Amino acid sequence: MKFYGRELLLAGILPALSGLAFPASGDSSVAPPFAPLLASDSTPVFPLDSATSSHPVEQTVAQGHVLDQRVVSLPEGEVRRTRLVRSGIHPGALLVSEDWQKDASRSNWVCLRREMFLADQLIIKVHAQTSENAVRELLHRLDMDFGEFVAPDVCTARLREASIDGMRRALITLGTNTSAVEIVEADGVGFGGGIPNDAYFTNQWGIHNVGQSSGMADADVDGPELWDVLENTSGIVVAVLDSGLNFTHPDLQGITWTNTAEIPGDGVDNDSNGRVDDFRGWDFANGDNNPTDDHGHGSNVTGIIAANRNNGMGIAGMIGGVKILVCKILNANNSGLTSSLIAATTYARQMGVPIMNLSLQNYPFNAILNTEFNDCQSAGILLSICAGNQGVDNDVTPNYPSCYPQTNILAAGNHDRMDVRWADTFNPSNYGLTNVDLFAPGTDILSPVLGTSYAYYVGTSQAAPFVTAVAAAMKYLNPDWNASEIKSGILGSVITRPSYNGLCLSGGRLNALASVARAIRSQPNNDRDMDGFPNLFEYLVGTRMDTQVSYPKVTNWLANGFLHLSVPQTPRADGHLEIEQATNLGNWTTSGVTDFGNTNLLHGGIPTEPNPAGFMRLRAVIDP
């Protein structure tokens, strides 16, 4: 038997819950047992949990009540503490697993890993040929209850005892039933990545920074510059896996994806996808078709992507026209289960979305979710995920789901209005040269929440949707692009700064216009709005490529012995327009064209005498 995770503890000691899985591989080897700390041992004195900690698991324990605990010795001088906890984020008991080590001075204990699980629920991946009845019978024999299938061949099971030892026994017992069970894992608990800080701040510096509130001018994503060339991404659907959406908020109207294969309210699964009446997404936290936000986090995240713009109220979302597939996986406490995340990711993939936003942090590693992310990678789906808010190096202390190894993941850290990583004590951004890809605005971000309100949030949860919106714009321009091409385009067009050196893979922060420009240059002949002018031409002229109403005004006329040709132009650093002439429609050259233009107007002419049979044309050129 093979194990995903660090080791299995025997002799009555709790296994490492982090990513523990039991694949039926035929490998019967197990790690050696570790001994519990006895009363005579030097039992560690751990720091007290803090309700103000940046780690949500520590907050949860501090605000709850510890019912039971185990402390065991690990190799390399580490110890593992496992606690059974009651807390307000979930009605049932929780298991908190931590690894601790003495620091270099040997005076203080440092937490290396801290994860949370349900104490009475498992996620099981069964073999494809195993029927539901067979699973139910197996669980019944083992004194467990069947839960539900959350994805194909993936179900949950409930224990009848919420205890440290009960979870250990269940993992080992089910893991030995290799004829039916492929992998079994504890159901993890994760969290949304941002926390509201200060309401009613109306300056969206992340989109357009002019130095407001003592910020650094232009430390933004260049939103208005993006809108000059692209405002609307009609036809692109983005799945937001979060706490749901406030469907009644005035600034969030008209943005929801509609499942046209479902007939609302008829109580029938019309499209046979296992979800009845999922005409506007699904609530995986409560198992129904009403993914209404009851926390605010999901609405805030979604508003950054797609809040209505130019409607005379509220804020401006990053991109218009995009439709949001609402997948509610976080509850009113802003926490959610791994099983819900697996179910929602599978659902969104099967519905065909090209991009998902996961503003989620501090989930335990899970082998079944890792497999689902592999499936998303194979499908070319981009996963835009927040890096987490503990101010730590994700290369040293991985934060899931952003640190899964798939190449279709874009992990975003949080930069502030001064163009540096947000490192304040309140929700400091994680970083990592390998496991964080780039930074995006995430501090003091105003967006809709519950009711008709707006709130000011701080966190990498707010950085990820900026990336998601830009990815949607790139997918709109180049519909055949997959996750790899979108990711490469975004990371290849960041604004680099010394302040990001060594903190992320790209060494820079998101820039919407540069990312879109890269997509345009990669496929210059695409004509997305089908107005007869290729995207590159419209980009260089300065007209939008998402509507036929906005197109280049090309004029030509005869005057003063010249054939004239002109078009307005927008100076760009990465391309330019040229006017060429030929006498035979075959040998085109700029030589012989008289320049009558200026910076904002391309205007050339060729004499009508002595060669009246001349031709002129416009050409878009990509500069190195």
Side-chain angles (χ1 to χ4, degrees):
M1 186 179 298
K2 189 185 297 179
F3 299 93
Y4 292 161
R6 297 183 60 181
E7 66 276 305
L8 176 69
L9 306 184
L10 301 178
I13 307 304
L14 179 73
L17 295 175
S18 177
L20 181 63
F22 293 78
S25 64
D27 181 0
S28 60
S29 62
V30 295
F34 301 111
L37 292 179
L38 304 177
S40 59
D41 295 337
S42 178
T43 304
V45 178
F46 301 111
L48 295 177
D49 297 290
S50 171
T52 61
S53 168
S54 62
H55 201 298
V57 174
E58 185 178 355
Q59 293 177 22
T60 299
V61 176
Q63 295 165 0
H65 179 62
V66 177
L67 305 175
D68 191 12
Q69 75 170 0
R70 302 281 190 280
V71 181
V72 299
S73 298
L74 301 180
E76 309 299 331
E78 297 177 20
V79 297
R80 172 162 299 140
R81 176 172 63 170
T82 305
R83 291 180 288 177
L84 186 69
V85 177
R86 288 279 184 186
S87 188
I89 72 162
H90 191 273
L94 303 164
L95 285 176
V96 176
S97 179
E98 305 158 334
D99 289 348
W100 292 81
Q101 186 178 56
K102 275 285 186 75
D103 65 12
S105 67
R106 309 298 295 173
S107 59
N108 295 312
W109 285 89
V110 178
C111 186
L112 306 176
R113 179 188 62 85
R114 179 180 281 118
E115 297 173 331
M116 180 177 287
F117 304 81
L118 294 186
D120 62 352
Q121 185 155 298
L122 301 164
I123 308 173
I124 306 170
K125 181 173 177 56
V126 299
H127 293 296
Q129 70 273 16
T130 306
S131 68
E132 180 178 328
N133 284 338
V135 176
R136 288 179 179 273
E137 290 175 4
L138 171 63
L139 293 174
H140 181 72
R141 289 199 308 272
L142 298 177
D143 203 29
M144 303 178 199
D145 295 320
F146 177 81
E148 62 174 337
F149 274 95
V150 298
D153 304 322
V154 178
C155 68
T156 58
R158 296 296 299 272
L159 311 184
R160 295 172 186 174
E161 173 192 15
S163 69
I164 294 175
D165 293 331
M167 176 59 71
R168 176 190 60 81
R169 287 193 295 268
L171 286 168
I172 295 174
T173 303
L174 270 174
T176 60
N177 282 270
T178 57
S179 60
V181 175
E182 185 174 336
I183 301 174
V184 56
E185 302 175 272
D187 198 347
V189 178
F191 299 82
I195 300 173
N197 187 11
D198 189 13
Y200 310 119
F201 180 72
T202 59
N203 195 339
Q204 291 181 266
W205 71 266
I207 290 179
H208 187 50
N209 192 339
V210 294
Q212 62 269 52
S213 300
S214 301
M216 181 178 292
D218 206 34
D220 55 37
V221 298
D222 280 343
E225 291 85 348
L226 168 67
W227 302 332
D228 283 342
V229 297
L230 180 66
E231 287 191 74
N232 192 293
T233 59
S234 179
I236 301 299
V237 180
V238 169
V240 177
L241 283 62
D242 215 286
S243 65
L245 184 67
N246 179 359
F247 293 96
T248 63
H249 197 289
D251 226 2
L252 299 175
Q253 297 304 297
I255 68 171
T256 309
W257 166 85
T258 300
N259 184 1
T260 57
E262 281 289 327
I263 301 173
D266 69 349
V268 176
D269 181 12
N270 303 107
D271 58 1
S272 301
N273 69 353
R275 313 288 174 185
V276 176
D277 288 339
D278 60 323
F279 63 94
R280 60 175 185 178
W282 194 258
D283 179 356
F284 295 90
N286 298 297
D288 58 45
N289 70 334
N290 181 19
T292 297
D293 192 358
D294 52 8
H295 178 274
H297 187 271
S299 298
N300 183 279
V301 165
T302 303
I304 294 168
I305 301 170
N308 299 150
R309 192 167 60 253
N310 294 323
N311 63 345
M313 68 175 71
I315 68 158
M318 271 293 294
I319 200 71
V322 67
K323 296 299 183 182
I324 304 299
L325 170 54
V326 184
C327 296
K328 178 180 172 67
I329 66 169
L330 302 176
N331 59 24
N333 296 301
N334 203 32
S335 65
L337 304 182
T338 299
S339 54
S340 297
L341 177 52
I342 293 169
T345 308
T346 304
Y347 172 78
R349 173 176 58 82
Q350 292 177 338
M351 299 307 287
V353 302
I355 301 163
M356 300 186 201
N357 189 96
L358 285 70
S359 289
L360 309 168
Q361 63 167 346
N362 299 114
Y363 279 76
F365 178 87
N366 182 274
I368 299 173
L369 180 60
N370 185 58
T371 299
E372 173 54 37
F373 279 3
N374 283 337
D375 291 340
C376 289
Q377 178 177 278
S378 299
I381 300 169
L382 183 78
L383 304 178
S384 177
I385 310 180
C386 71
N389 306 319
Q390 287 71 56
V392 301
D393 186 344
N394 280 359
D395 295 350
V396 177
T397 308
N399 193 309
Y400 297 105
S402 69
C403 289
Y404 279 93
Q406 287 74 20
T407 59
N408 60 325
I409 291 175
L410 257 176
N414 161 16
H415 79 76
D416 65 14
R417 68 181 73 238
M418 293 302 297
D419 212 357
V420 296
R421 177 181 76 91
W422 175 249
D424 192 83
T425 55
F426 183 81
N427 276 8
S429 174
N430 291 355
Y431 55 93
L433 188 57
T434 300
N435 280 310
V436 176
D437 292 299
L438 78 170
F439 286 84
T443 305
D444 305 339
I445 305 299
L446 188 72
S447 193
V449 284
L450 303 185
T452 59
S453 299
Y454 299 80
Y456 189 52
Y457 272 53
V458 174
T460 56
S461 273
Q462 283 54 59
F466 279 100
V467 176
T468 298
V470 173
M474 299 173 77
K475 180 68 175 179
Y476 172 83
L477 290 170
N478 297 342
D480 60 333
W481 271 17
N482 59 27
S484 176
E485 291 158 317
I486 296 172
K487 179 177 179 178
S488 176
I490 289 176
L491 296 185
S493 54
V494 298
I495 303 300
T496 57
R497 292 283 186 267
S499 57
Y500 304 117
N501 286 347
L503 298 181
C504 66
L505 181 67
S506 66
R509 58 172 167 83
L510 176 71
N511 185 270
L513 179 64
S515 297
V516 163
R518 190 179 181 96
I520 292 168
R521 294 194 307 272
S522 297
Q523 296 188 4
N525 293 320
N526 281 0
D527 178 11
R528 199 61 179 89
D529 55 7
M530 296 182 291
D531 63 357
F533 293 93
N535 289 348
L536 178 64
F537 192 87
E538 292 207 70
Y539 168 68
L540 296 175
V541 170
T543 55
R544 283 168 46 194
M545 52 207 69
D546 57 355
T547 172
Q548 295 181 354
V549 175
S550 175
Y551 59 89
K553 304 301 190 291
V554 179
T555 56
N556 60 84
W557 69 98
L558 288 169
N560 302 321
F562 280 87
L563 173 62
H564 295 262
L565 179 63
S566 75
V567 63
Q569 65 178 353
T570 297
R572 304 285 190 192
D574 51 358
H576 68 279
L577 294 170
E578 292 179 347
I579 296 178
E580 298 179 320
Q581 63 88 20
T583 58
N584 58 5
L585 293 178
N587 299 312
W588 293 96
T589 177
T590 57
S591 178
V593 178
T594 301
D595 183 7
F596 296 106
N598 55 50
T599 301
N600 296 309
L601 179 70
L602 183 67
H603 177 189
I606 59 173
T608 57
E609 296 293 342
N611 300 308
F615 303 91
M616 301 179 72
R617 75 175 184 183
L618 288 165
R619 190 165 75 96
V621 180
I622 299 174
D623 293 333

mmCIF file with all atom_site columns, all heavy atoms in Angstrom, residues 174-190:
data_model
loop_
_atom_site.group_PDB
_atom_site.id
_atom_site.type_symbol
_atom_site.label_atom_id
_atom_site.label_alt_id
_atom_site.label_comp_id
_atom_site.label_asym_id
_atom_site.label_entity_id
_atom_site.label_seq_id
_atom_site.pdbx_PDB_ins_code
_atom_site.Cartn_x
_atom_site.Cartn_y
_atom_site.Cartn_z
_atom_site.occupancy
_atom_site.B_iso_or_equiv
_atom_site.pdbx_formal_charge
_atom_site.auth_seq_id
_atom_site.auth_comp_id
_atom_site.auth_asym_id
_atom_site.auth_atom_id
_atom_site.pdbx_PDB_model_num
ATOM 1   N N   . LEU A 1 174 ? -10.757 1.573  5.890  1.00 0.00 ? 174 LEU A N   1
ATOM 2   C CA  . LEU A 1 174 ? -11.204 1.733  4.509  1.00 0.00 ? 174 LEU A CA  1
ATOM 3   C C   . LEU A 1 174 ? -10.045 1.570  3.533  1.00 0.00 ? 174 LEU A C   1
ATOM 4   O O   . LEU A 1 174 ? -10.219 1.051  2.427  1.00 0.00 ? 174 LEU A O   1
ATOM 5   C CB  . LEU A 1 174 ? -11.854 3.100  4.329  1.00 0.00 ? 174 LEU A CB  1
ATOM 6   C CG  . LEU A 1 174 ? -13.354 3.175  4.569  1.00 0.00 ? 174 LEU A CG  1
ATOM 7   C CD1 . LEU A 1 174 ? -13.838 4.611  4.504  1.00 0.00 ? 174 LEU A CD1 1
ATOM 8   C CD2 . LEU A 1 174 ? -14.106 2.325  3.544  1.00 0.00 ? 174 LEU A CD2 1
ATOM 9   N N   . GLY A 1 175 ? -8.860  2.026  3.931  1.00 0.00 ? 175 GLY A N   1
ATOM 10  C CA  . GLY A 1 175 ? -7.715  1.917  3.038  1.00 0.00 ? 175 GLY A CA  1
ATOM 11  C C   . GLY A 1 175 ? -7.319  0.490  2.725  1.00 0.00 ? 175 GLY A C   1
ATOM 12  O O   . GLY A 1 175 ? -6.684  0.230  1.701  1.00 0.00 ? 175 GLY A O   1
ATOM 13  N N   . THR A 1 176 ? -7.680  -0.451 3.581  1.00 0.00 ? 176 THR A N   1
ATOM 14  C CA  . THR A 1 176 ? -7.341  -1.855 3.332  1.00 0.00 ? 176 THR A CA  1
ATOM 15  C C   . THR A 1 176 ? -8.355  -2.542 2.417  1.00 0.00 ? 176 THR A C   1
ATOM 16  O O   . THR A 1 176 ? -8.105  -3.650 1.950  1.00 0.00 ? 176 THR A O   1
ATOM 17  C CB  . THR A 1 176 ? -7.269  -2.622 4.660  1.00 0.00 ? 176 THR A CB  1
ATOM 18  O OG1 . THR A 1 176 ? -8.528  -2.550 5.323  1.00 0.00 ? 176 THR A OG1 1
ATOM 19  C CG2 . THR A 1 176 ? -6.187  -2.047 5.551  1.00 0.00 ? 176 THR A CG2 1
ATOM 20  N N   . ASN A 1 177 ? -9.488  -1.901 2.148  1.00 0.00 ? 177 ASN A N   1
ATOM 21  C CA  . ASN A 1 177 ? -10.507 -2.486 1.266  1.00 0.00 ? 177 ASN A CA  1
ATOM 22  C C   . ASN A 1 177 ? -10.196 -2.106 -0.180 1.00 0.00 ? 177 ASN A C   1
ATOM 23  O O   . ASN A 1 177 ? -10.928 -1.343 -0.828 1.00 0.00 ? 177 ASN A O   1
ATOM 24  C CB  . ASN A 1 177 ? -11.903 -2.009 1.669  1.00 0.00 ? 177 ASN A CB  1
ATOM 25  C CG  . ASN A 1 177 ? -12.438 -2.735 2.883  1.00 0.00 ? 177 ASN A CG  1
ATOM 26  O OD1 . ASN A 1 177 ? -13.095 -3.766 2.759  1.00 0.00 ? 177 ASN A OD1 1
ATOM 27  N ND2 . ASN A 1 177 ? -12.129 -2.198 4.056  1.00 0.00 ? 177 ASN A ND2 1
ATOM 28  N N   . THR A 1 178 ? -9.092  -2.627 -0.677 1.00 0.00 ? 178 THR A N   1
ATOM 29  C CA  . THR A 1 178 ? -8.588  -2.202 -1.985 1.00 0.00 ? 178 THR A CA  1
ATOM 30  C C   . THR A 1 178 ? -9.424  -2.705 -3.159 1.00 0.00 ? 178 THR A C   1
ATOM 31  O O   . THR A 1 178 ? -9.286  -2.211 -4.269 1.00 0.00 ? 178 THR A O   1
ATOM 32  C CB  . THR A 1 178 ? -7.143  -2.666 -2.156 1.00 0.00 ? 178 THR A CB  1
ATOM 33  O OG1 . THR A 1 178 ? -7.084  -4.091 -1.983 1.00 0.00 ? 178 THR A OG1 1
ATOM 34  C CG2 . THR A 1 178 ? -6.237  -1.984 -1.144 1.00 0.00 ? 178 THR A CG2 1
ATOM 35  N N   . SER A 1 179 ? -10.297 -3.682 -2.942 1.00 0.00 ? 179 SER A N   1
ATOM 36  C CA  . SER A 1 179 ? -11.130 -4.161 -4.045 1.00 0.00 ? 179 SER A CA  1
ATOM 37  C C   . SER A 1 179 ? -12.165 -3.122 -4.452 1.00 0.00 ? 179 SER A C   1
ATOM 38  O O   . SER A 1 179 ? -12.588 -3.078 -5.605 1.00 0.00 ? 179 SER A O   1
ATOM 39  C CB  . SER A 1 179 ? -11.831 -5.458 -3.651 1.00 0.00 ? 179 SER A CB  1
ATOM 40  O OG  . SER A 1 179 ? -12.667 -5.254 -2.518 1.00 0.00 ? 179 SER A OG  1
ATOM 41  N N   . ALA A 1 180 ? -12.574 -2.280 -3.510 1.00 0.00 ? 180 ALA A N   1
ATOM 42  C CA  . ALA A 1 180 ? -13.578 -1.257 -3.809 1.00 0.00 ? 180 ALA A CA  1
ATOM 43  C C   . ALA A 1 180 ? -13.011 0.149  -3.744 1.00 0.00 ? 180 ALA A C   1
ATOM 44  O O   . ALA A 1 180 ? -13.432 1.025  -4.507 1.00 0.00 ? 180 ALA A O   1
ATOM 45  C CB  . ALA A 1 180 ? -14.756 -1.378 -2.841 1.00 0.00 ? 180 ALA A CB  1
ATOM 46  N N   . VAL A 1 181 ? -12.066 0.378  -2.839 1.00 0.00 ? 181 VAL A N   1
ATOM 47  C CA  . VAL A 1 181 ? -11.598 1.733  -2.556 1.00 0.00 ? 181 VAL A CA  1
ATOM 48  C C   . VAL A 1 181 ? -10.245 1.977  -3.217 1.00 0.00 ? 181 VAL A C   1
ATOM 49  O O   . VAL A 1 181 ? -9.304  1.199  -3.045 1.00 0.00 ? 181 VAL A O   1
ATOM 50  C CB  . VAL A 1 181 ? -11.496 1.963  -1.036 1.00 0.00 ? 181 VAL A CB  1
ATOM 51  C CG1 . VAL A 1 181 ? -10.891 3.325  -0.731 1.00 0.00 ? 181 VAL A CG1 1
ATOM 52  C CG2 . VAL A 1 181 ? -12.877 1.827  -0.401 1.00 0.00 ? 181 VAL A CG2 1
ATOM 53  N N   . GLU A 1 182 ? -10.151 3.073  -3.958 1.00 0.00 ? 182 GLU A N   1
ATOM 54  C CA  . GLU A 1 182 ? -8.884  3.461  -4.576 1.00 0.00 ? 182 GLU A CA  1
ATOM 55  C C   . GLU A 1 182 ? -8.108  4.416  -3.675 1.00 0.00 ? 182 GLU A C   1
ATOM 56  O O   . GLU A 1 182 ? -6.916  4.255  -3.450 1.00 0.00 ? 182 GLU A O   1
ATOM 57  C CB  . GLU A 1 182 ? -9.142  4.122  -5.933 1.00 0.00 ? 182 GLU A CB  1
ATOM 58  C CG  . GLU A 1 182 ? -7.887  4.462  -6.705 1.00 0.00 ? 182 GLU A CG  1
ATOM 59  C CD  . GLU A 1 182 ? -8.198  4.984  -8.102 1.00 0.00 ? 182 GLU A CD  1
ATOM 60  O OE1 . GLU A 1 182 ? -9.283  4.665  -8.633 1.00 0.00 ? 182 GLU A OE1 1
ATOM 61  O OE2 . GLU A 1 182 ? -7.349  5.710  -8.647 1.00 0.00 ? 182 GLU A OE2 1
ATOM 62  N N   . ILE A 1 183 ? -8.781  5.441  -3.154 1.00 0.00 ? 183 ILE A N   1
ATOM 63  C CA  . ILE A 1 183 ? -8.163  6.413  -2.251 1.00 0.00 ? 183 ILE A CA  1
ATOM 64  C C   . ILE A 1 183 ? -9.194  6.802  -1.201 1.00 0.00 ? 183 ILE A C   1
ATOM 65  O O   . ILE A 1 183 ? -10.380 6.962  -1.511 1.00 0.00 ? 183 ILE A O   1
ATOM 66  C CB  . ILE A 1 183 ? -7.707  7.692  -3.001 1.00 0.00 ? 183 ILE A CB  1
ATOM 67  C CG1 . ILE A 1 183 ? -6.691  7.363  -4.099 1.00 0.00 ? 183 ILE A CG1 1
ATOM 68  C CG2 . ILE A 1 183 ? -7.102  8.709  -2.042 1.00 0.00 ? 183 ILE A CG2 1
ATOM 69  C CD1 . ILE A 1 183 ? -6.328  8.559  -4.960 1.00 0.00 ? 183 ILE A CD1 1
ATOM 70  N N   . VAL A 1 184 ? -8.745  6.989  0.045  1.00 0.00 ? 184 VAL A N   1
ATOM 71  C CA  . VAL A 1 184 ? -9.619  7.525  1.082  1.00 0.00 ? 184 VAL A CA  1
ATOM 72  C C   . VAL A 1 184 ? -8.853  8.609  1.824  1.00 0.00 ? 184 VAL A C   1
ATOM 73  O O   . VAL A 1 184 ? -7.678  8.443  2.149  1.00 0.00 ? 184 VAL A O   1
ATOM 74  C CB  . VAL A 1 184 ? -10.115 6.428  2.049  1.00 0.00 ? 184 VAL A CB  1
ATOM 75  C CG1 . VAL A 1 184 ? -8.952  5.678  2.672  1.00 0.00 ? 184 VAL A CG1 1
ATOM 76  C CG2 . VAL A 1 184 ? -11.006 7.025  3.129  1.00 0.00 ? 184 VAL A CG2 1
ATOM 77  N N   . GLU A 1 185 ? -9.518  9.726  2.072  1.00 0.00 ? 185 GLU A N   1
ATOM 78  C CA  . GLU A 1 185 ? -8.879  10.875 2.719  1.00 0.00 ? 185 GLU A CA  1
ATOM 79  C C   . GLU A 1 185 ? -9.867  11.546 3.664  1.00 0.00 ? 185 GLU A C   1
ATOM 80  O O   . GLU A 1 185 ? -11.077 11.492 3.458  1.00 0.00 ? 185 GLU A O   1
ATOM 81  C CB  . GLU A 1 185 ? -8.418  11.901 1.675  1.00 0.00 ? 185 GLU A CB  1
ATOM 82  C CG  . GLU A 1 185 ? -7.457  11.332 0.647  1.00 0.00 ? 185 GLU A CG  1
ATOM 83  C CD  . GLU A 1 185 ? -7.128  12.335 -0.440 1.00 0.00 ? 185 GLU A CD  1
ATOM 84  O OE1 . GLU A 1 185 ? -7.857  12.402 -1.439 1.00 0.00 ? 185 GLU A OE1 1
ATOM 85  O OE2 . GLU A 1 185 ? -6.126  13.046 -0.289 1.00 0.00 ? 185 GLU A OE2 1
ATOM 86  N N   . ALA A 1 186 ? -9.338  12.205 4.683  1.00 0.00 ? 186 ALA A N   1
ATOM 87  C CA  . ALA A 1 186 ? -10.184 13.029 5.535  1.00 0.00 ? 186 ALA A CA  1
ATOM 88  C C   . ALA A 1 186 ? -10.661 14.238 4.745  1.00 0.00 ? 186 ALA A C   1
ATOM 89  O O   . ALA A 1 186 ? -9.934  14.774 3.908  1.00 0.00 ? 186 ALA A O   1
ATOM 90  C CB  . ALA A 1 186 ? -9.401  13.478 6.763  1.00 0.00 ? 186 ALA A CB  1
ATOM 91  N N   . ASP A 1 187 ? -11.885 14.673 4.992  1.00 0.00 ? 187 ASP A N   1
ATOM 92  C CA  . ASP A 1 187 ? -12.458 15.817 4.270  1.00 0.00 ? 187 ASP A CA  1
ATOM 93  C C   . ASP A 1 187 ? -11.930 17.105 4.901  1.00 0.00 ? 187 ASP A C   1
ATOM 94  O O   . ASP A 1 187 ? -12.217 17.417 6.057  1.00 0.00 ? 187 ASP A O   1
ATOM 95  C CB  . ASP A 1 187 ? -13.985 15.773 4.341  1.00 0.00 ? 187 ASP A CB  1
ATOM 96  C CG  . ASP A 1 187 ? -14.642 16.641 3.270  1.00 0.00 ? 187 ASP A CG  1
ATOM 97  O OD1 . ASP A 1 187 ? -13.927 17.453 2.645  1.00 0.00 ? 187 ASP A OD1 1
ATOM 98  O OD2 . ASP A 1 187 ? -15.859 16.499 3.050  1.00 0.00 ? 187 ASP A OD2 1
ATOM 99  N N   . GLY A 1 188 ? -11.143 17.845 4.138  1.00 0.00 ? 188 GLY A N   1
ATOM 100 C CA  . GLY A 1 188 ? -10.503 19.043 4.659  1.00 0.00 ? 188 GLY A CA  1
ATOM 101 C C   . GLY A 1 188 ? -11.432 20.235 4.739  1.00 0.00 ? 188 GLY A C   1
ATOM 102 O O   . GLY A 1 188 ? -12.502 20.268 4.140  1.00 0.00 ? 188 GLY A O   1
ATOM 103 N N   . VAL A 1 189 ? -10.996 21.236 5.495  1.00 0.00 ? 189 VAL A N   1
ATOM 104 C CA  . VAL A 1 189 ? -11.702 22.505 5.621  1.00 0.00 ? 189 VAL A CA  1
ATOM 105 C C   . VAL A 1 189 ? -10.765 23.608 5.148  1.00 0.00 ? 189 VAL A C   1
ATOM 106 O O   . VAL A 1 189 ? -9.609  23.682 5.577  1.00 0.00 ? 189 VAL A O   1
ATOM 107 C CB  . VAL A 1 189 ? -12.135 22.778 7.077  1.00 0.00 ? 189 VAL A CB  1
ATOM 108 C CG1 . VAL A 1 189 ? -12.838 24.131 7.190  1.00 0.00 ? 189 VAL A CG1 1
ATOM 109 C CG2 . VAL A 1 189 ? -13.044 21.662 7.581  1.00 0.00 ? 189 VAL A CG2 1
ATOM 110 N N   . GLY A 1 190 ? -11.250 24.446 4.232  1.00 0.00 ? 190 GLY A N   1
ATOM 111 C CA  . GLY A 1 190 ? -10.479 25.585 3.746  1.00 0.00 ? 190 GLY A CA  1
ATOM 112 C C   . GLY A 1 190 ? -11.266 26.858 3.910  1.00 0.00 ? 190 GLY A C   1
ATOM 113 O O   . GLY A 1 190 ? -12.394 26.868 4.428  1.00 0.00 ? 190 GLY A O   1
#
